[in-house]
Amino acid sequence: MLTLHLLPRLSVLSDQLRQCQAVIYKCIYLQTLLSAPHLSHHRHLSTSSSLCAKPPHLAKMKKDVTEKKLKRYFVDHRKVRIVGGAGGNGACCFLSEPRKEFGGPDGGDGGNGGSVIFKVDPCVKSFSAVSPVYQGAEGERGRSKNCYGKNGETLYIKVPIGTLVKEDGVVLVDLSTPGEEFVAAHGGSGGKGNRFFLSNENRAPMTATPGDHGEERCLQLELKTMAHAGMVGFPNAGKSSLLRLLTNARPAVADYPFTTLNPHVGVINYQDHEQIAVADVPGIIEGAHMNRGLGLSFLRHIERCRFLLYVIDLAHPEPWSQLHSLQFELRQFDEGLPLRPHVIVANKLDLPNARKTLEHLRQKAEGKIIAVSALTGENAEELVIHLREMYDGHRPGGKKTEPYEGW
């Protein structure tokens, strides 16, 4: 009886204890908010207060990709081993059904192996995603009841515009059109089943042929950038800065040599919706034809250019010597490059003694000279208009257009 009277009292005491604990916890929480609100682990919802936002050092920020990291993903030559898919074997079997004692042969042919095809994709910029070995899909074997094997699927390898496919130094194809395809290796033919060998003389053939092996080739891929104009100059001549001024391209710019480690291409847009692509290749130095510096390996990217831009540094005491050295190095690489239409771009016109140096350059250099400043943009419009004149004057097929009057 005593326990029955004490149970209700204990339940009331436990409820009061819980209420006291809740009041104590609320008091402690309020004290912590008043003393140090920034130490609270609770973040209140707010659309205007910066105190309730996520701390900047905790936010994940995307890091800028450096030029050296970009170089890792830019590959302009690749050696590839291509193997076509093998054909499926033919089947050797006979029809087996009730009340058909002499059903005859019913072995089907094997499927053809899959071919390997290079396909131009404008979204691909280099051979960084191209593997060294490609194997085509094999065809399935033939089956009974005259069932033919499934052909192997065609394997497409995406390559950039301007890809040269070579075999033992001989150019097989020049892929310069978006969507253009080239069959690198054909798949093997499927084998024949014993149904194929049925004849009046042989009513029960036991012969079935295996599938042929696919074609195997070792090919060399080379990339030549497609551009109308190519900028050539020594390191730190301001080629990347000039490309940033004329186009929307954003190559790396710094005050040390060999900042540009891979070619960049920018596009100049005109009011009549005409576009001119300008290529910036890494700087070359004296003796580059003997593989000094970065060598002349990147000059293959300007072999397709219709005209050249010699970017000369006016900070150099004798800029005309730079021009002669550039033409000599180009001649060592390809004798026809210095003979192409060109314009001399004297950069860094904003420097103190640049105008005096420009006068000496005009006296000792032949050809059209346009002085610009990639930093301030001085005379940039004159250069852009002259590029359009050269573009219109050297169209493929000798087509002439009316002179361009505005940018």
Side-chain angles (χ1 to χ4, degrees):
M1 296 295 293
L2 182 60
T3 56
L4 293 176
H5 289 291
L6 293 176
L7 284 176
R9 294 182 180 180
L10 290 175
S11 61
V12 172
L13 290 174
S14 62
D15 294 338
Q16 293 178 353
L17 181 60
R18 292 193 191 95
Q19 294 177 1
C20 293
Q21 289 179 349
V23 172
I24 293 172
Y25 289 153
K26 289 183 180 179
C27 294
I28 296 174
Y29 178 69
L30 291 174
Q31 288 179 0
T32 55
L33 288 179
L34 294 174
S35 61
H38 61 279
L39 297 177
S40 176
H41 297 284
H42 301 277
R43 197 157 55 93
H44 301 282
L45 180 62
S46 175
T47 58
S48 60
S49 178
S50 60
L51 296 176
C52 298
K54 190 173 183 180
H57 65 278
L58 297 179
K60 294 182 179 180
M61 300 179 64
K62 185 177 180 181
K63 297 181 179 179
D64 296 333
V65 181
T66 62
E67 187 75 18
K68 290 186 178 180
K69 289 184 179 180
L70 285 174
K71 182 179 181 295
R72 287 189 240 164
Y73 304 109
F74 184 85
V75 181
D76 59 351
H77 60 278
R78 177 78 80 185
K79 186 177 181 180
V80 186
R81 178 172 171 264
I82 307 294
V83 182
N89 299 328
C92 180
C93 54
F94 293 86
L95 180 63
S96 177
E97 290 183 358
R99 294 180 295 277
K100 288 187 178 180
E101 183 178 359
F102 300 101
D106 67 344
D109 298 345
N112 298 326
S115 301
V116 183
I117 298 178
F118 290 120
K119 186 174 183 179
V120 178
D121 187 356
C123 298
V124 179
K125 302 303 179 184
S126 72
F127 300 133
S128 58
V130 177
S131 302
V133 179
Y134 283 96
Q135 172 73 50
E138 297 182 354
E140 295 185 0
R141 64 182 181 86
R143 299 183 182 275
S144 60
K145 299 183 180 180
N146 295 321
C147 292
Y148 283 38
K150 180 182 178 182
N151 295 334
E153 295 184 0
T154 303
L155 177 60
Y156 289 94
I157 305 175
K158 296 181 179 180
V159 295
I161 299 176
T163 299
L164 286 179
V165 183
K166 296 183 179 181
E167 185 177 18
D168 298 331
V170 179
V171 179
L172 302 180
V173 66
D174 183 0
L175 302 175
S176 57
T177 306
E180 188 176 358
E181 297 181 359
F182 171 71
V183 181
H186 292 87
S189 301
K192 302 298 183 181
N194 61 342
R195 174 72 181 182
F196 177 82
F197 299 96
L198 178 64
S199 63
N200 292 332
E201 291 79 12
N202 188 2
R203 304 303 300 174
M206 299 292 295
T207 304
T209 60
D212 297 334
H213 294 287
E215 188 178 6
E216 181 175 354
R217 309 173 76 175
C218 289
L219 304 176
Q220 297 84 34
L221 304 181
E222 291 186 4
L223 175 61
K224 291 186 178 181
T225 304
M226 303 293 291
H228 302 105
M231 291 195 296
V232 184
F234 281 84
N236 276 2
K239 300 183 299 297
S240 299
S241 301
L242 193 60
L243 188 68
R244 292 170 69 101
L245 174 66
L246 302 178
T247 68
N248 291 328
R250 290 295 176 264
V253 175
D255 57 352
Y256 53 85
F258 299 111
T259 307
T260 302
L261 299 177
N262 59 277
H264 295 272
V265 179
V267 178
I268 303 176
N269 298 304
Y270 292 86
Q271 291 180 354
D272 58 351
H273 307 289
E274 192 70 60
Q275 293 181 335
I276 296 180
V278 182
D280 170 26
V281 299
I284 61 177
I285 61 175
E286 295 183 1
H289 66 280
M290 296 183 291
N291 206 22
R292 293 181 182 175
L294 294 179
L296 292 175
S297 59
F298 286 107
L299 284 181
R300 71 167 67 96
H301 296 281
I302 64 172
E303 285 184 335
R304 300 177 186 268
C305 297
R306 303 179 194 174
F307 44 91
L308 304 178
L309 278 72
Y310 292 107
V311 183
I312 306 300
D313 188 1
L314 291 179
H316 194 275
E318 296 180 354
W320 52 88
S321 63
Q322 287 188 340
L323 177 62
H324 298 327
S325 298
L326 289 174
Q327 292 177 344
F328 174 76
E329 298 296 337
L330 292 181
R331 192 176 298 108
Q332 296 298 318
F333 179 77
D334 187 355
E335 295 182 356
L337 284 179
L339 303 178
R340 294 189 182 183
H342 63 271
V343 59
I344 302 172
V345 181
N347 194 15
K348 302 182 182 179
L349 187 61
D350 54 288
L351 296 180
N353 299 324
R355 300 188 183 275
K356 294 182 179 180
T357 309
L358 179 61
E359 294 179 0
H360 296 294
L361 177 63
R362 293 185 185 276
Q363 296 174 0
K364 298 187 178 182
E366 299 179 357
K368 177 71 174 179
I369 299 177
I370 299 178
V372 299
S373 173
L375 180 63
T376 62
E378 185 178 357
N379 291 342
E381 185 174 357
E382 180 184 355
L383 176 60
V384 171
I385 294 176
H386 184 72
L387 288 177
R388 178 60 186 273
E389 293 175 355
M390 296 179 67
Y391 174 77
D392 293 336
H394 299 86
R395 288 177 178 267
K399 297 180 180 179
K400 299 291 184 179
T401 58
E402 296 181 358
Y404 184 74
E405 298 179 354
W407 182 10

